[in-house]
Amino acid sequence: MSANAYIAKVDQTKTAATFVTSRRSFSLASHLALIAVLTALPLIVLAFFAADRVLQVERLTFRETLKSNARVLASAVNGEIDAHVAVARVLSNSLALKSGDIQAFQQQANDIRVYFPGSEILLTAPDGQQLMNTLASPDAPLPVRRNMDVMKRVLESRQPVISDVYIGRIAGIPMTSVEMPVLNGEAVAYVLSILMPAANMQQLLANQKYPAEWAVAVLDSQDNFVARIPDPARVGTPAAQGWREAIKQAPEGLIETISVEGDAVIIAFFPVVHGWTVGVAVRKSALDAPVQRTLLFLFGAAGASVALSFAMAWLVGRRLSSCADALIKTAGNLARGEIVQAKPTGVKDYDDLLQALETTSSLLKTRSQQRDNLEKSLMSSTALLSAAAEIAQIAPYQWDPQTDAVNADARFSSLWGVPADFRVTSKGLLAYVHPDDIALIRSKIIAALDASGDGLFDAEFRVTHEQSHEERWLVCRSRTIFAGRKAVNVIGAARDITSRKNGELILLAREQEFRDLANAMPQLVWTADENGSLTYYNKRRDDYYRSDEARMDWDGLIYPDDKVSTYEAWETAQTTSQPYEIEHRLMRADGLYAWHLSRAVPVLDARGHATKWYGTATDIDQSKRREEYVRVLMSETAHRSKNLIAVIQAVARQTAASSAGLKEFNEKFSARLQCLAGSHDLLIAREGAGVGLAELIQLQLGHFADLQGTRIAVMGDPILLEATAAQAIGMALHELATNAAKYGALSTETGKIDLQWTVQSTSAGAKLVIIWSETGGPPVVRPTRSGLGSLVIQRLAGDRINGTAELQFLPDGIVWTCEAALENVLAK
């Protein structure tokens, strides 16, 4: 078609388009206005939907806020009640009260009442008679309590009770009270009351600073107001019926009901100790008013947005329609082969199109010149590609799957080790492939020739040169070209990668050497990346706890108390790129923790940043345990040495005071030192773990071994004594045996000794009872003076074990009874 014919065709099309537009179409301005309206409507609907969701979230959020405030208020009320209960508990244990000194107790109560302004303290007998009231004048007679139902609950439960709100008999104001039983043994001797004015609880609510439109209240167990904001005058009156019914259904929750003023409210309530309840409420009208205002604003804004969008789209459409004529005129000039001169229209898209038409007209005139330049460039690119392949030691090739012919240059033949004049085919080349790699190559060739695949071939394999018989590694990559479903050509390249493969083998050998060395080490050896994630650990990992068979879980491995110090040390090492070292406890496979010394050194890059970590964990648990044992042993040795010196000094003083001369002193003092030494020998033999009572008795009565079982009977369950108890009881047994041999049952041929010990249960706990009784000896005569032996038997033994030791001089023989709490004498 000639240029003139084309222009005529364009003019004809323009005339027809104008006719059709006038009969059936709308203007560009009308379409833009319609688009603006259709675009705005979904956005408005979406905005209303989003606003509705936001409002619902706000309602839910506000309800959760009410619940949260109810919990906080409950905590504050609990704290106030707990404070009064604690004071009542302290006063109930007053020594003045225990001794019945009401006047002294009243002084204590007045001193404490200063810290609780408005509160009063009342002391009542079990029959209800008031014995003390800080609200009444000192000389005024005190009445009988009226709220005996609270008294009855305290007397029956013997536990603290919080009363409901009532009007005080003396004060005449609403108040509540903390009722605390004062026990004398198992019985209630008094009832101690701390009176709390309702005004104090009212002040507690005021201190919470709730918004003015909120209502907060505290209810007692009968659902009467203890305090309320607003309208505190309702204290002592019942709460709203709906709230009371909700409390009966559940101790906490959120309800919509009618308040005592008749307003529709939302109440969040939460339980307090002793059946009390707190509530936070807000009127529904106060909650819904912002919602209504928001909806009205949205309706107005939406209408205004639609009207404005329609008007602006209409104006823009008229502007675009006037610019379209310039495009039609420019297209006609381009069809005539003229150089187009683009004139700006003020619309960027139109101006860009006009500029493109102007550029196209210039390019058409230089197309032939560009074609020549392109041919020259193609020749240059081919030479450049060939040079690049030679530099990179890449051998390109083509393979025709239909004829099996391979077209390649001398570089390709050299890689395979075949003669340059060798007729290269795929079957011929496969003869040089290593037998272990042939199956791989065949499977990949089949996959690359499959038209349903991607047509790519990529393989690394070994070949054997024909002349040198040297084994080499090659990598080949190619792409198959298909015509329909048929493979017509394969274009690829090959490269020698023998050096890389040999390097990989060396690295694998070195890595295996490292693993063998690591597995031979007695420590846990590990490596980690720059972030501390483990990349390797040796076989010692099996000695430790594992929560996941595929990895190490440091968080589950480290002892909880050592985690903070471990993480701090690791963070410091990472930050400074310095060696990491920490002593901490790790869980072994048996589930027990053991002390370890963990160390790691970083591998640094050129900037000094750690890129890898090599670390070990060495088990030092035995060393730590030896250190701890030596430290404890030294401390225990020092403690026991001081106690032993004090005992020896006391023995020496008392022995000297009761001895007639140096010879008698030496005999008595040596015997008593041997007694102490024997006890210590037993203790050392058990490595400080305690002394068996049976062994201690055998030691102290060892020189009467021939009488045991006939005249000396010993009986009792196995008991392990701690060091101090062993010394005291051992010395007492030595003195008893010595006195029995000199003056008692063993000084005759018929006397007997019965030594028994038992563990008895009492209300205060288990206790050890040791009884030494003598019979058949000479008549018992109470000594006129007491020496060291008597002191050891009757006083020292009991004092050293925080118990009692009593010596009775009975007609049939002496009886020595020693008692002590079991926890005071047992070895820990």
Side-chain angles (χ1 to χ4, degrees), residues 434-451:
H434 193 282
D436 294 342
D437 298 337
I438 288 180
L440 172 67
I441 298 300
R442 290 184 185 278
S443 64
K444 292 203 171 192
I445 290 176
I446 293 173
L449 296 177
D450 187 356

Side-chain angles (χ1 to χ4, degrees), residues 4 46 134 167 216 292 374 388 402 548 618 691 715 745 760 803:
N4 293 332
L46 180 62
T134 58
I167 302 299
V216 292
Q292 297 173 355
L374 181 60
Q402 306 302 319
D548 187 336
T618 305
V691 176
M715 183 180 300
Q760 301 178 5

Side-chain angles (χ1 to χ4, degrees), residues 82-403:
D82 290 344
H84 284 78
V85 171
V87 172
R89 195 177 300 280
V90 170
L91 287 174
S92 68
N93 291 300
S94 168
L95 294 178
L97 194 58
K98 296 292 185 182
S99 63
D101 190 347
I102 303 302
Q103 184 175 2
F105 174 73
Q106 183 167 5
Q107 181 60 43
Q108 292 179 354
N110 286 327
D111 292 340
I112 291 179
R113 191 169 61 90
V114 174
Y115 300 99
F116 295 89
S119 297
E120 302 295 341
I121 301 176
L122 176 67
L123 185 66
T124 310
D127 60 358
Q129 176 61 49
Q130 296 185 23
L131 303 178
M132 184 207 76
N133 192 329
T134 58
L135 187 62
S137 59
D139 298 331
L142 298 176
V144 176
R145 289 192 60 168
R146 289 191 299 181
N147 51 346
M148 290 300 293
D149 55 334
V150 178
M151 285 281 294
K152 183 178 179 181
R153 290 164 57 193
V154 176
L155 294 174
E156 290 177 352
S157 65
R158 294 188 295 175
Q159 296 293 329
V161 174
I162 306 300
S163 76
D164 294 325
V165 65
Y166 64 93
I167 302 299
R169 187 171 184 178
I170 297 177
I173 60 175
M175 59 178 56
T176 61
S177 62
V178 175
E179 307 289 341
M180 177 67 66
V182 180
L183 301 178
N184 184 7
E186 299 296 329
V188 178
Y190 309 101
V191 175
L192 176 65
S193 306
I194 297 183
L195 309 182
M196 301 181 294
N200 288 6
M201 196 62 68
Q202 190 73 24
Q203 184 60 42
L204 175 66
L205 296 186
N207 292 340
Q208 304 306 309
K209 305 296 184 183
Y210 288 105
E213 63 272 15
W214 287 22
V216 292
V218 180
L219 307 184
D220 60 18
S221 63
Q222 299 300 319
D223 298 336
N224 294 323
F225 288 114
V226 178
R228 190 178 189 272
I229 293 179
D231 198 6
R234 293 185 180 274
V235 171
T237 63
Q241 179 66 25
W243 189 9
R244 297 202 306 272
E245 293 176 355
I247 294 174
K248 293 177 182 179
Q249 298 296 325
E252 65 175 285
L254 186 141
I255 62 169
E256 296 184 7
T257 186
I258 303 300
S259 68
V260 292
E261 290 88 353
D263 297 327
V265 295
I266 300 175
I267 301 177
F269 57 93
F270 199 80
V272 187
V273 294
H274 298 281
W276 285 22
T277 306
V278 300
V280 179
V282 64
R283 291 192 301 275
K284 290 186 64 177
S285 59
L287 177 62
D288 295 337
V291 175
Q292 297 173 355
R293 288 195 297 269
T294 302
L295 291 176
L296 289 175
F297 173 77
L298 284 175
F299 279 119
S305 298
V306 172
L308 181 61
S309 299
F310 183 85
M312 295 299 294
W314 179 265
L315 294 176
V316 172
R318 292 191 61 185
R319 168 67 174 164
L320 294 177
S321 296
S322 63
C323 296
D325 293 336
L327 292 176
I328 296 174
K329 182 179 180 181
T330 303
N333 294 335
L334 181 62
R336 297 184 185 93
E338 300 176 359
I339 296 298
V340 174
Q341 298 293 328
K343 296 181 179 180
T345 63
V347 180
K348 184 178 186 302
D349 293 338
Y350 289 175
D351 290 344
D352 291 342
L353 181 56
L354 290 171
Q355 185 65 43
L357 293 175
E358 180 180 345
T359 304
T360 301
S361 66
S362 300
L363 291 177
L364 289 175
K365 291 186 175 295
T366 58
R367 182 170 55 182
S368 60
Q369 182 181 357
Q370 289 178 345
R371 186 186 302 111
D372 294 340
N373 293 338
L374 181 60
E375 292 176 355
K376 295 179 182 179
S377 177
L378 181 59
M379 295 176 61
S380 176
S381 297
T382 302
L384 181 62
L385 179 60
S386 178
E390 183 176 0
I391 294 173
Q393 296 182 343
I394 295 175
Y397 64 89
Q398 286 184 331
W399 173 48
D400 186 348
Q402 306 302 319
T403 63

Side-chain angles (χ1 to χ4, degrees), residues 620-637:
I620 60 170
D621 194 65
Q622 292 297 329
S623 299
K624 295 289 286 188
R625 290 182 183 276
R626 284 194 292 270
E627 291 176 5
E628 182 66 20
Y629 176 76
V630 170
R631 184 162 52 251
V632 172
L633 184 61
M634 293 298 294
S635 176
E636 183 68 17
T637 301

